[in-house]
Amino acid sequence: MKFLYSLPPLAACAAALLLPAAVHAHGTMTTPPSRIYTCFLSGPETTTDPACVALKNANGTSPFYDWMSINQANANSNHQAVVPDGKLCSGNNAMFSGLDLPRSDWQATSISPAADGTYEFVFRGKAPHATKDWIFYISREGWSPTQPLRWSDLTEFCRLGNVPLNNGNYYLRCPLPQGSGRRVIYNVWQRSDSTEAFYTCIDVNLGNGTNPGWTDEGVLAAQAALPAGTEIRLRLFNAAGNDVETVSHTVAANQGGTGQWPFYFAQTVNAQSAFARIGVLANGAITPQQSATANHVYTRSSDNLSHQVEFRTPDTNLPPVVVLNASASSVSGAGSVNLSAAGSSDPEGAVLTYQWAVTSGSGASLSAATGVQTTLNLTAPAQAQTVVVRVTASDGVNSASKTVSITHQPAGGGGYDYVYPAGIGSYVPGQTVVLGSDGNRYRCKPFPEGGWCNVNSAAHYGPGTGVVWQDAWTRL
């Protein structure tokens, strides 16, 4: 088996998607997941969550990738002044305005307090900052997510001071308010080393104040399908970091889709684990769902456990993905075409080697038979032909090939020798005729002006279009 990745709680599957690096990265709530983090987990490019699709329609995919940056640089604790009513979830940041859309289908997480009446929120800190305060608000009883969120809808229920960053997370334990039903928890993080503050909307279903016996450890999100034979492990640890239990599940054929493997993995865990469950908590029961983002990992509250999800893929080797580009698709008379396979890649990241060959056509040769690039050199043909070149990429185990076809015509067959810029370097002053991009024919001027015809700069000498084309060409 090949080790794929091992992740801490809450990030269990999100790393399967490669993301652009954010320059000004700070953070968001991941337990329970914030509105923006829920949409990120649903897949920036492929989300089908209706509310997240609405966010994408409003702001594109950038907010998904920049989920850690809902901020106001000059807040300085004047939060109601810099974030007006109706713009709380976006922090009055236009890039995230879609988060303020009044909708009833923002995905909510069911939460309930521990035995002592508290709940531990987890804020993922992508960049640590000194803290003035963490402020938690909750929406009033009866508030509806179909209405714009206002400051008057919120009641403060917890305020914390500076909390140390622990393995990339801020752990924020607060007494959870009594009550039940759909609510928004609103968090403000004000820095003490800057006037900057961060704002987070968290959609929750609040329990009735009783302890259901389970602690929500966060979302089990599937952002990539898994091949058959992949082993998924749920590992549980006690407060000292010692292993308590490991449950393993192997992905069966046709059960590796993003909406499938979390469901079947959850079924295995729920049947075998003495300390954990995976699914959706409702009315005291935790039920697995066929969903990429709905399932949460729960551990028994009385045991104070943490978890980790690990993935191991079977030892398979996929063939390279070959990309072949040519500088021209047709040549008249003698000429050359630059060929490149630089866009090729290997799924496992192996270094590729390349082999080039002319498989069809006469009077054709390659400047190099190996390497990522080569040049196809063509002599003037006696009759029209198609020249085919093949490149084969190998990772040392598997290989894959791709071909390109070049139309090769006799010189003057179309009233011109080349389609510009093909053949640059071979133009004969006073003789060579080319077809320009404007559809007109041009003859290279006699020596010495004709020497400019072979300068490889279409911006300057492109016939009919370059800024000084008349120095080199005569329009026919």
Side-chain angles (χ1 to χ4, degrees):
M1 305 288 283
K2 183 191 300 181
F3 180 76
L4 180 59
Y5 49 87
S6 173
L7 296 170
L10 308 174
C13 302
L17 178 67
L18 298 177
L19 302 176
V23 175
H24 301 290
H26 303 279
T28 194
M29 204 71 68
T30 55
T31 302
S34 65
R35 186 172 289 185
I36 184 61
Y37 195 64
T38 296
C39 285
F40 160 68
L41 292 175
S42 74
E45 311 297 338
T46 59
T47 181
T48 57
D49 182 291
C52 299
V53 169
L55 169 64
K56 185 176 179 179
N57 291 339
N59 302 116
T61 59
S62 295
F64 293 72
Y65 292 118
D66 210 19
W67 51 263
M68 66 295 292
S69 301
I70 302 177
N71 68 333
Q72 281 293 326
N74 299 308
N76 200 26
S77 294
N78 298 313
H79 305 300
Q80 294 190 38
V82 298
V83 182
D85 287 345
K87 297 185 177 182
L88 274 67
C89 292
S90 68
N92 196 24
N93 188 325
M95 176 181 176
F96 299 92
S97 61
L99 293 172
D100 294 314
L101 292 171
R103 302 177 62 94
S104 61
D105 52 1
W106 290 109
Q107 203 173 122
T109 302
S110 298
I111 63 171
S112 295
D116 61 358
T118 65
Y119 184 87
E120 186 172 68
F121 297 87
V122 181
F123 189 98
R124 180 63 176 170
K126 295 291 287 182
H129 299 302
T131 299
K132 177 182 178 182
D133 47 35
W134 298 88
I135 310 173
F136 288 83
Y137 303 85
I138 192 166
S139 60
R140 59 178 170 79
E141 189 95 31
W143 173 80
S144 169
T146 61
Q147 300 296 318
L149 184 62
R150 305 168 301 176
W151 286 101
S152 59
D153 294 321
L154 301 175
T155 301
E156 181 180 334
F157 69 90
C158 181
R159 187 180 291 243
L160 303 173
N162 195 35
V163 175
L165 189 68
N166 182 356
N167 194 29
N169 295 308
Y170 295 99
Y171 293 90
L172 311 166
R173 184 166 290 279
C174 289
L176 200 62
Q178 296 289 316
S180 61
R182 177 66 177 263
R183 304 291 187 90
V184 163
I185 292 177
Y186 192 63
N187 175 256
V188 176
W189 177 25
Q190 176 64 61
R191 296 171 57 178
S192 62
D193 56 355
S194 164
T195 57
E196 183 179 36
F198 297 87
Y199 304 93
T200 306
C201 266
I202 311 153
D203 298 281
V204 300
N205 285 312
L206 199 63
N208 59 7
T210 61
N211 176 26
W214 298 101
T215 296
D216 187 343
E217 295 277 345
V219 178
L220 175 66
Q223 292 200 3
L226 299 178
T230 300
E231 181 187 7
I232 316 173
R233 295 180 182 176
L234 176 69
R235 297 179 62 192
L236 301 176
F237 308 92
N238 60 22
N242 300 318
D243 279 271
V244 173
E245 182 183 66
T246 298
V247 177
S248 295
H249 171 80
T250 300
V251 177
N254 301 317
Q255 293 182 1
T258 55
Q260 296 176 300
W261 68 256
F263 172 76
Y264 293 105
F265 177 47
Q267 285 189 325
T268 298
V269 169
N270 295 356
Q272 297 182 14
S273 177
F275 306 99
R277 297 291 184 270
I278 298 177
V280 173
L281 175 62
N283 301 319
I286 300 172
T287 306
Q289 305 294 315
Q290 293 209 27
S291 168
T293 57
N295 295 287
H296 286 233
V297 178
Y298 294 89
T299 57
R300 222 164 55 180
S301 300
S302 58
D303 297 313
N304 190 25
L305 302 177
S306 60
H307 83 281
Q308 181 167 291
V309 177
E310 297 177 350
F311 299 78
R312 294 178 183 269
T313 59
D315 284 327
T316 57
N317 183 279
L318 299 175
V321 177
V322 182
V323 176
L324 176 53
N325 293 310
S327 62
S329 60
S330 64
V331 174
S332 293
S336 61
V337 178
N338 295 323
L339 304 172
S340 174
S344 304
S345 61
D346 183 72
E348 288 80 31
V351 176
L352 298 177
T353 58
Y354 301 90
Q355 188 73 37
W356 299 85
V358 176
T359 62
S360 179
S362 61
S365 62
L366 296 169
S367 63
T370 60
V372 71
Q373 297 177 347
T374 190
T375 299
L376 172 66
N377 295 309
L378 299 168
T379 60
Q383 58 187 10
Q385 64 174 346
T386 299
V387 178
V388 179
V389 179
R390 181 185 65 228
V391 63
T392 301
S394 173
D395 62 8
V397 178
N398 283 332
S399 62
S401 299
K402 196 158 192 179
T403 61
V404 64
S405 297
I406 308 296
T407 300
H408 190 200
Q409 296 180 341
Y416 50 85
D417 300 305
Y418 300 98
V419 177
Y420 187 87
I424 285 180
S426 301
Y427 298 161
V428 179
Q431 297 182 26
T432 300
V433 176
V434 300
L435 181 68
S437 60
D438 60 359
N440 291 313
R441 294 182 304 132
Y442 296 83
R443 177 177 283 114
C444 185
K445 284 189 173 183
F447 183 83
E449 290 93 338
W452 296 111
C453 298
N454 286 301
V455 176
N456 191 6
S457 175
H460 290 85
Y461 296 104
T465 58
V467 294
V468 290
W469 72 267
Q470 291 173 320
D471 291 350
W473 301 95
T474 300
R475 181 182 288 143
L476 299 179

